[in-house]
Amino acid sequence: MNRHHWWRDAVIYQVYVRSFLDSTGDGIGDLAGVRAGLPYLRKLGVDGIWLSPFYPSPQHDHGYDVADYRDVDPVFGDLAEFDRLVAAAHRLGIRVLLDIVPNHCSSEHPWFREALAAAPGSPERARFHFADGRGPDGGEPPNNWHAMFGGPAWTRVTEPDGRPGQWYLHMFTPEQPDWNWREPAVAAEFDRTLRFWLDRGVDGFRIDVAAGLFKHPDLPDSPDPEADARTRDSVNPLAWNQPEVHGVWRHWRAVCEEYTARDGRERLLVGEVSVPSAREHAKYVRPDELHQAFFFDLLGAPWDADAFRKVVSEAMQDIAGTGSTVTWVLNNHDQVRTVTRYGEPAEGSGLGAARARAAALLMLALPGAAYIYQGEELGLPEVVDLPDDVLTDPIFRRTGSRARIRDGCRVPLPWSGQASPFGFTSGTESAKPWLPQPEYFAEYATHRVLADTRSSWHLYRDGLQLRSALDQLGEGSLRWLETQPGVLAFTRGDDLVCAVNFGTAPVPAPVPGTPLLASGPCPPGELPGSTAAWWIDGS
């Protein structure tokens, strides 16, 4: 593996800060809690962490509505605590990535407040997308776009003189106005933000909505205005994936290269890129743009050997062909947890867990980099029965629907004990985490899974150790093997095989006496359904 370009085969752990570990007893995770959890992450064996937004925010979308890009919200700590966290992580050999949100800010950001107080056509309003409404009194939105989280993508403002006035664009919620990246002041402001955090020692950035930023300059009507809201994805071609966005990533890459040239320490840019195909995805990871972009097609693939093979093959052809490496992901803070996503209730609760373990081994065996969402290594299922009155996802608030809401994967982690708060908060047992933890979380508490060598935690840890130790894994290529239907198998190098049984078909057993890492029992001559295994040919 190429150790200089550390990011090419790195395994990064996503820390959803408010749900990781609470050091103050207020029921909300914080930066000091992340620092306290670093030895755990070091033991797991990850190369770095990606921190969800901890900036000052009114928390309408849990920090993705940023009011100040260059500070820490008091609920999470302060800049001094952030500096201690970075220093502690670096001492343990763990790199630190920040989540940056350049598509939109909070409606409480000072610049947006200035825009509301300014006149139409002013420089202050030019930083956002303000436009006159349609109709004789301007009472209709400027176009027919819908927001991804439900409802129209436009909100009308009251002008300083008290009259109904212009409308502003927000592709998520009204509390998250979209920046206008055609205005040079916006780019300059984010330059200052990048350098502020790079100067504090961060190792790079995860970029939220990286295919956004630019909208069609004419803001025309969409032929399918409800596409974004219907799919909960950025599919409106007039609002996303505009060609001008690539210039931003070339500039940001140059800024990172500037810092790398100073001290030889590579800084990483990884983008949240939702685009129609692997070929479009590849445009974001050309040599002078983003280092990586999350490849979500694996996450979205059905549990089927042919579907997984097609997704992997397309990624290897189109993305790895740019000179970058594929960035694999099975879960994040916006997705149903894999144990639940892969499960089929009629088949019993164990099926989803078996498939999640198999998928994890498959991902760790693939060439390139991988990202793990916190709690996946514990085998946590989605919490699907949260009461309506505790739900905080703006999707639920705006639509009234529980479909695809995200609170269920954000429930605070269980660390120890038999009852909530399961060691998550430093307060008493009566302390309440910001989202309630179910009783069954006791089965997944960190202290318990670490003691059980059959647990998902040990599967992840052992896989990460082998990934670091074996030259066949990490960066490189793969070769598909011919198999029976329902079985996926490939080689990494000449003597390492990854085999995944998506059904119940028997597959060849490893050479007797050779090292084996499997996600479940592996009797001679077969792999049970929904199992993955690696084995090394010792001949």
Side-chain angles (χ1 to χ4, degrees):
M1 291 181 280
N2 189 330
R3 294 299 183 187
H4 175 63
H5 300 298
W6 64 269
W7 50 271
R8 295 181 66 83
D9 54 19
V11 177
I12 306 295
Y13 185 95
Q14 181 188 354
V15 176
Y16 195 71
V17 176
R18 66 187 296 116
S19 296
F20 186 72
L21 187 59
D22 167 26
S23 72
T24 64
D26 65 357
I28 299 174
D30 48 52
L31 295 180
V34 177
R35 181 161 58 91
L38 288 175
Y40 164 81
L41 298 175
R42 175 63 176 168
K43 186 172 184 177
L44 182 62
V46 298
D47 299 299
I49 56 175
W50 146 30
L51 301 174
S52 62
F54 51 77
Y55 316 109
S57 166
Q59 302 293 319
H60 290 292
D61 189 20
H62 289 166
Y64 285 92
D65 49 324
V66 182
D68 183 346
Y69 287 86
R70 299 195 287 273
D71 204 349
V72 175
D73 194 302
V75 75
F76 299 122
D78 54 27
L79 286 170
E81 179 55 50
F82 174 81
D83 292 340
R84 287 191 287 270
L85 168 58
V86 172
H90 286 171
R91 283 195 297 271
L92 293 173
I94 296 174
R95 294 175 171 88
V96 179
L97 308 182
L98 302 194
D99 207 323
I100 192 167
V101 189
N103 179 73
H104 51 266
C105 66
S106 166
S107 55
E108 295 186 18
H109 190 285
W111 279 17
F112 189 71
R113 289 180 172 179
E114 291 175 9
L116 293 178
S122 64
E124 290 81 4
R125 289 203 173 179
R127 299 164 178 165
F128 302 91
H129 295 279
F130 278 84
D132 295 332
R134 297 191 290 194
D137 60 353
E140 299 295 324
N143 66 27
N144 65 355
W145 298 358
H146 279 238
M148 193 179 298
F149 289 174
W154 295 90
T155 291
R156 196 174 194 183
V157 305
T158 299
E159 300 294 353
D161 63 5
R163 292 182 298 177
Q166 289 190 306
W167 299 71
Y168 69 89
L169 179 69
H170 49 83
M171 294 304 298
F172 291 89
T173 73
E175 294 83 13
Q176 295 167 288
D178 282 38
W179 291 106
N180 177 15
W181 274 82
R182 300 183 189 280
E183 169 55 48
V186 173
E189 178 68 0
F190 275 92
D191 264 20
R192 289 188 283 271
T193 295
L194 288 182
R195 293 179 183 278
F196 177 86
W197 294 111
L198 289 169
D199 289 341
R200 301 192 90 91
V202 304
D203 299 282
F205 302 92
R206 177 265 187 187
I207 304 166
D208 189 58
V209 196
L213 280 62
F214 287 86
K215 278 62 179 172
H216 190 288
D218 299 327
L219 299 175
D221 277 347
S222 169
D224 186 2
E226 297 184 5
D228 282 357
R230 184 177 64 251
T231 63
R232 265 272 319 283
D233 204 355
S234 49
V235 295
N236 179 351
L238 303 170
W240 313 107
N241 199 27
Q242 297 293 299
E244 296 93 335
V245 75
H246 295 284
V248 176
W249 308 139
R250 291 188 185 97
H251 177 70
W252 284 28
R253 179 67 175 262
V255 171
C256 287
E257 298 292 349
E258 175 190 328
Y259 278 79
T260 297
R262 295 180 187 177
D263 57 17
R265 188 162 59 88
E266 284 192 294
R267 275 64 165 192
L268 169 65
L269 296 174
V270 55
E272 181 195 32
V273 174
S274 296
V275 288
S277 67
R279 186 165 297 177
E280 281 293 310
H281 183 109
K283 294 178 181 178
Y284 285 81
V285 291
R286 290 176 287 199
D288 62 343
E289 294 195 34
L290 304 179
H291 300 80
Q292 297 176 330
F294 297 123
F295 187 65
F296 293 119
D297 292 32
L298 188 67
L299 183 158
W303 187 255
D304 176 81
D306 292 337
F308 268 59
R309 178 167 178 161
K310 180 176 184 293
V311 164
V312 171
S313 296
E314 289 179 353
M316 294 300 297
Q317 174 182 324
D318 293 326
I319 298 170
T322 66
S324 181
T325 54
V326 185
T327 305
W328 307 103
V329 58
L330 289 172
N331 202 251
N332 61 35
H333 63 292
D334 290 331
Q335 304 295 330
V336 173
R337 287 195 178 275
T338 53
V339 167
T340 302
R341 196 169 73 241
Y342 288 142
E344 296 176 10
E347 300 292 338
S349 60
L351 182 61
R355 289 176 173 177
R357 290 164 62 94
L361 277 188
L362 169 66
M363 179 179 71
L364 293 177
L366 289 171
Y371 281 67
I372 300 169
Y373 178 52
Q374 68 177 38
E376 289 292 289
E377 79 283 7
L378 304 178
L380 283 178
E382 185 86 353
V383 181
V384 298
D385 57 355
L386 291 167
D388 285 359
D389 61 354
V390 305
L391 296 178
T392 60
D393 194 326
I395 297 170
F396 178 72
R397 296 199 308 269
R398 286 181 61 77
T399 67
S401 170
R402 297 176 67 99
R404 300 180 68 184
I405 59 173
R406 302 163 295 168
D407 288 316
C409 70
R410 300 176 178 185
V411 175
L413 296 184
W415 290 87
S416 61
Q418 299 298 318
S420 183
F422 298 110
F424 165 72
T425 175
S426 62
T428 65
E429 288 195 3
S430 62
K432 292 184 178 181
W434 70 277
L435 280 175
Q437 301 159 307
E439 292 182 2
Y440 64 76
F441 262 33
E443 303 173 27
Y444 303 95
T446 301
H447 83 288
R448 176 171 290 188
V449 299
L450 262 66
D452 180 3
T453 58
R454 300 166 299 175
S455 70
S456 291
W457 190 91
H458 282 273
L459 182 83
Y460 271 89
R461 195 278 306 271
D462 293 348
L464 289 169
Q465 285 186 340
L466 283 175
R467 186 180 166 97
S468 296
L470 300 176
D471 290 337
Q472 302 96 318
L473 292 172
E475 186 178 353
S477 60
L478 62 78
R479 179 171 59 87
W480 295 110
L481 299 177
E482 293 298 322
T483 62
Q484 300 180 47
V487 175
L488 190 68
F490 56 85
T491 62
R492 297 297 315 278
D494 295 328
D495 56 0
L496 188 144
V497 174
C498 175
V500 186
N501 189 356
F502 284 78
T504 57
V507 298
V511 176
T514 59
L516 171 69
L517 178 65
S519 69
C522 185
E526 68 176 30
L527 289 172
S530 303
T531 297
W534 302 348
W535 66 81
I536 303 168
D537 185 351
S539 60

